[in-house]
Amino acid sequence: MVKPRRDLALVVVAALAACLFAALLPSSLAGLRAPLCLPLVLLLPGYAVVSAIFRPGELRTAELITLSIAVSIAATLIVALALDALGVKLTAAPWMGVLTVLTLAAAARGTARGHSRSLILRPIPVGRAQVGAIAAGLALLAGAATLGFTPLGAPNGTRGTSALWLLPAPGGLQAVCVGVINEQLHTTTYNVTVRGGGGPVRRLGPIVLEPGKSWSRELAVASSAAPVMHAFLRRAAEPSVVYRSVVLRDWNIAATGC
Amino acid sequence: MTLTVAKPAPAPSQPSAEQPSPLGWLPWTFLAVAAGVMVVSWADALSRTGHRASLLFWLAMVLLIFPAALRLCSARVRSSERLATVVLVGLGLYAVKVLRDPFAFTYGDEFPHLYNLQTILSSGRLFGSNSILPITPRYPGLETLAALIARAGGMSPFAAGLTAVAAGRLMMMLGLYLLYARLGGSERAAGLGALLYAATPNFLFWSVQFAYESLALPLATIALFITIRWAQERDPALRRPWEFCFGLVAVAVVVTHHVSSYVLLAYLLAVCVIHWRLHGRAGAPWRLAAGIGVATVVWLVLAGGGTVGYLSPVLTSALKQVVQTLARETPARGLFASQGGTVVTPPAEIVIALSGIMLLGLGVLVGVRLVWQQRWRNPLMVLLVFCAFIYLGTLPLRFVPAAWETVSRAGDFLFIGVGLTVALGLVWMLERGKRHSLRVRLLIAAAATVVFASGVIAGWPANERLAQPRVIAVPGGSLDPPAVVAAEWSGRALGPAQRVFAQDADARFFLTNGLQTSLTGNFAPDVDDMLDATKLTPAMRTLLRGYRTTLVVSDRREISGDNLFGFYFDSGPPALSKAATDSKFDVAGSNRLYDSGDLVIYGVRGLW
């Protein structure tokens, strides 16, 4: 494989690679895909365009970087508006395809104008203490991210809850869907009672649910009309207390799934 | 052309003999910033679990600002180190906001923008509808960028949104530095100015929320920098690349945020007028002003038709209340108070805030004197100094309830002038105090930290700066607040596109987590009244029919109507509204579909 030695050659390679990886890598590999593909959104088109329109060496490095990001973002937006106006759906393929073509064309023009920066960087002398500071900083950032993005326990006094729901079953069936969502902070046992529709009272349970888990059931209704249906939720710890209640009086709404 | 600066920007200063590495102090600044981020993460963790951690928060702020300010005060620092320091601080402060909301967006304005992003991702089309902030889909810049980031990087909408705003913050710091360096002719002033801009009250939190201004303002700042560079070229052929770049960036601003595009246009027109007054008509950036003017008008006509109707009530209400407050017909707003008017700011913070404002005022005066003495006749420089004065002049308007928000948001634009003016004053003081260099630098770094803290205190209530319990860990997983669970249930069990009446915070969850058409206070003015009432009247049935409402979310928790605290778990016994506010819907014709205690969802089509 030929290793690019000039900036615009690297831009071309990176743009093609980004387009390819966006097409081939699944979304589940975001950690790999993002660093490979995002430069085509946030940097490469702008870098190529700026290189194409300015004289070589006209911009300071900071100016070049700033304009590259801003122009890349502007190009992304303008391409999106153009695609939308043409009726093209904004999926990855056309969007990134157009940005890649734009990048390649601009890079070609920049090369033709004599723009070229060497990719060979001079080594930067870094002391041991400086390396230590950078390493410690990175470790602190990693610690901050780990702590910050980890869910922690609830503050004292936080109350959990439980939800009971009741809906007509989907597909016009003479049935109802009843469900429970356990949002308590601990595993909880429930009993559900459903009555109405001329049929017997139905008792469902014990239903044992871990925090965040849910349960649902489809129940046939004996009556052919749309009867009034009631459902009650009781916790096993307090069986005599109705904890939640729902009622279906008017069957003008339907579940999309039980 | 006379738009150029009076003094040319000096070449990057050379490192001193005592600093052999071109990195200078950068590794140590990085370590301090990282330590600040770690400390704020710790403070957030304590706050999420119900502990107080405001001292840790302030320690983090000091770590983030003071070492960088001290370094930027130094004369012998390379340009690249100054720029890197400014960028590090900017991103470190952005991390403070990210760590405050690490699991989901929780600012009221972020939900409508997230919904727009979700719509672009699901439909592949721009310009969808939005029931909470209908104007936002007409300015799709931020969401479009985030959508491509999500598509390209395989990221969630939340992660893509964070990345898009991070790009905005990066551009803001780069743009400010380059603008100040060109205008002020001093890399030292550029670094200090960009750092001081962080003292804008909105900088820490509001300006990095997932909302359109977070991208548009950085782009507008870069457009100003481009204007200066354009002006420095005398050959029309050399100006063309800058005009091209300006055109691209200006279009990006116009399609991203209405107010930012109008402010950019106003800045350019003002520069043209000042230039005309000082140096004559020729050489002013008329073409650039005309370019963004045309783009703004075209967008307003083609896409942003509702903008005038959206902005005019806000501005007229603010103006009306200013007049009423001056005439003492309306009570003044309490400073350092929360939205409800309750004073929540500790006395020590009030002292710091007032000290910071005084220091800032002093800095502006010194900077203005300097500009005046040196007779800088750069029109943009004159404009920015004028903006610094206006900023100070707008501070009393924070007493006016309706004007407070407008003034606060205008501050983001006006502070561009404050940053440069104060930085020029600081550089002058540093140069005069050469004999006591370290002492002066320490004092100025401390003053900069106080000014920054003052901005933080003015910008966000004390009890809202640290993380709240948005997601909590339970055995085997984690839990979301009840309103999120209810909203997600509605989307899953009933499908999207239900039309929902709900309190402010709940409505936002039903919009983004349930993908429903949510109607709440501001845009359906009677919704709040209906939800708060204890009796169901015929007029309410008419309202339900008029809006074709299929679901009503009755949430008795008072925080469900709070756009600051309504997105988190309740701790302790919740403040509840009367039971009748809920039970009034429990009548013939309605379905009580979902009951989670304080929050009940009714199917109300039968009430039409």
Side-chain angles (χ1 to χ4, degrees), chain B residues 83 171 186 242 570 590:
Chain B
L83 181 58
M171 282 195 294
S186 156
W242 293 105
D570 247 341
S590 85

Side-chain angles (χ1 to χ4, degrees), chain B residues 178-497:
Chain B
L178 293 176
L179 175 67
Y180 289 167
R182 286 282 165 181
L183 268 178
S186 156
E187 301 274 352
R188 201 182 193 185
L192 282 169
L195 186 79
L196 280 168
Y197 185 83
T200 317
N202 287 330
F203 188 86
L204 190 61
F205 295 116
W206 197 85
S207 293
V208 279
Q209 63 176 331
F210 183 63
Y212 32 31
E213 193 183 309
S214 304
L215 180 66
L217 180 59
L219 286 168
T221 307
I222 290 176
L224 286 180
F225 159 69
I226 292 172
T227 306
I228 284 294
R229 288 292 269 121
W230 172 89
Q232 287 177 334
E233 301 292 355
R234 288 160 196 274
D235 182 349
L238 295 180
R239 281 185 166 178
R240 247 168 251 137
W242 293 105
E243 286 167 2
F244 184 76
C245 282
F246 182 88
L248 288 176
V249 175
V251 167
V253 174
V254 168
V255 305
T256 301
H257 187 219
H258 36 72
V259 171
S260 298
S261 57
Y262 305 153
V263 171
L264 181 58
L265 174 60
Y267 268 46
L268 285 175
L269 287 175
V271 167
C272 290
V273 170
I274 296 170
H275 188 284
W276 193 355
R277 177 80 181 78
L278 294 177
H279 310 292
R281 200 168 157 184
W286 296 106
R287 290 176 65 165
L288 304 187
I292 188 166
V294 168
T296 303
V297 171
V298 167
W299 193 257
L300 196 61
V301 171
L302 291 182
T307 311
V308 176
Y310 168 68
L311 291 176
S312 55
V314 181
L315 297 174
T316 50
S317 164
L319 277 175
K320 203 184 285 179
Q321 274 217 0
V322 169
V323 174
Q324 286 173 342
T325 306
L326 289 174
R328 300 195 175 183
E329 289 170 11
T330 307
R333 174 179 169 270
L335 287 182
F336 305 110
S338 66
Q339 272 189 337
T342 320
V343 175
V344 292
T345 308
E349 289 193 6
I350 294 176
V351 171
I352 292 172
L354 295 176
S355 309
I357 289 170
M358 282 190 281
L359 286 169
L360 198 67
L362 195 66
V364 169
L365 290 179
V366 174
V368 167
R369 184 170 165 269
L370 188 75
V371 172
W372 184 258
Q373 280 177 342
Q374 299 200 355
R375 296 178 185 278
W376 286 4
R377 287 162 59 82
N378 181 301
L380 186 54
M381 183 80 217
V382 172
L383 176 66
L384 290 182
V385 169
F386 188 56
C387 285
F389 263 124
I390 296 178
Y391 178 81
L392 294 181
T394 59
L395 290 178
L397 292 176
R398 289 175 180 260
F399 284 107
V400 183
W404 169 79
E405 192 176 357
T406 308
V407 167
S408 169
R409 295 188 184 185
D412 295 352
F413 300 96
L414 297 173
F415 216 95
I416 295 176
V418 176
L420 179 60
T421 310
V422 175
L424 289 172
L426 292 181
V427 170
W428 176 78
M429 283 193 266
L430 283 163
E431 283 172 0
R432 276 178 65 92
K434 268 180 187 167
R435 281 199 305 164
H436 312 286
S437 175
L438 181 61
R439 198 185 305 165
V440 174
R441 278 162 49 201
L442 281 169
L443 277 175
I444 286 180
T449 309
V450 170
V451 169
F452 169 77
S454 159
V456 174
I457 293 164
W460 215 242
N463 54 352
E464 256 290 296
R465 289 177 207 139
L466 287 169
Q468 302 290 319
R470 169 62 182 78
V471 173
I472 57 175
V474 287
S478 60
L479 293 182
D480 284 308
V484 175
V485 177
E488 287 177 348
W489 171 83
S490 77
R492 207 171 45 242
L494 298 169

Side-chain angles (χ1 to χ4, degrees), chain A residues 22 26-31 33-34 37-38 40-42 49-50 53-55 58-60 62-63 65-67 69-71 73-78 80-81 83-92 95-96 99 113 124-127 129-141 143-168 181-186 210-214 243-257, chain B residues 12 20-25 27-28 30-31 34-35 37-38 41-42 45 47-50 79 83 98-99 102-103 120 122-127 140-142 144-145 147-155 163 167 170-171 174-175 178 182 187 215 219 222 225-226 229 233 238 241-242 244-245 248-249 251-252 255-256 299 469 471-475 478-482 485 489 491-495 498 550-551 569-574 585-598 603 605-606:
Chain A
S27 296
S28 55
L29 294 176
R33 201 170 135 156
C37 300
L38 289 191
L40 187 55
V41 184
L42 297 172
V49 168
V50 168
I53 60 174
F54 285 98
R55 289 174 306 165
E58 188 175 350
L59 300 176
R60 287 171 56 188
E63 292 175 333
I65 293 169
T66 307
L67 289 180
I69 299 170
V71 170
I73 288 172
T76 296
L77 302 187
I78 292 166
L81 288 171
L83 289 174
D84 191 66
L86 292 170
V88 179
K89 279 199 167 191
L90 296 175
T91 54
W95 210 344
M96 295 189 73
L99 284 176
R113 291 194 65 184
I124 300 172
V126 184
Q130 289 179 316
V131 171
I134 292 170
L138 289 173
L140 284 170
L141 287 181
T146 306
L147 181 60
F149 290 99
T150 305
L152 301 172
N156 286 336
T158 302
R159 300 181 318 157
T161 188
S162 315
L164 173 68
W165 57 270
L166 182 67
L167 285 170
I181 304 170
N182 180 31
E183 288 285 307
Q184 302 287 351
L185 306 183
H186 45 77
E210 290 176 6
K213 300 296 179 193
S214 58
Y243 187 50
R244 303 282 183 252
S245 69
V246 285
V247 55
L248 200 59
R249 299 185 184 94
D250 185 341
W251 291 45
N252 56 16
I253 195 163
T256 52
Chain B
S21 168
L23 291 178
W25 283 21
W28 305 105
F30 172 66
L31 180 60
V37 173
M38 179 66 222
S41 180
W42 181 21
S47 178
R48 276 195 277 151
T49 50
S79 168
L83 181 58
V98 174
L99 289 168
F103 305 111
I120 294 172
S122 61
S123 69
R125 304 309 307 265
L126 303 177
F127 310 112
L142 175 68
T144 304
L145 175 65
L148 185 53
I149 288 172
R151 291 241 190 266
M155 298 157 85
T163 308
L170 176 63
M171 282 195 294
L174 291 169
L178 293 176
R182 286 282 165 181
E187 301 274 352
L215 180 66
L219 286 168
I222 290 176
F225 159 69
I226 292 172
R229 288 292 269 121
E233 301 292 355
L238 295 180
W242 293 105
F244 184 76
C245 282
L248 288 176
V249 175
V251 167
V255 305
T256 301
W299 193 257
V471 173
I472 57 175
V474 287
S478 60
L479 293 182
D480 284 308
V485 177
W489 171 83
R492 207 171 45 242
L494 298 169
Q498 298 289 329
T550 53
L551 299 178
F569 277 94
D570 247 341
S571 293
F585 292 110
D586 224 340
V587 294
S590 85
N591 293 314
R592 187 181 166 96
L593 299 173
Y594 180 99
D595 178 5
S596 71
D598 300 326
R605 211 169 164 175

Side-chain angles (χ1 to χ4, degrees), chain A residues 208-219:
Chain A
V208 181
L209 292 176
E210 290 176 6
K213 300 296 179 193
S214 58
W215 166 95
S216 65
R217 184 68 51 85
E218 185 175 310
L219 301 172

Side-chain angles (χ1 to χ4, degrees), chain B residues 538 540-549 607-608:
Chain B
M540 292 176 186
R541 290 172 183 258
T542 309
L543 189 70
L544 291 171
R545 186 170 59 245
Y547 281 103
R548 298 189 352 266
T549 312
L607 296 178
W608 289 6

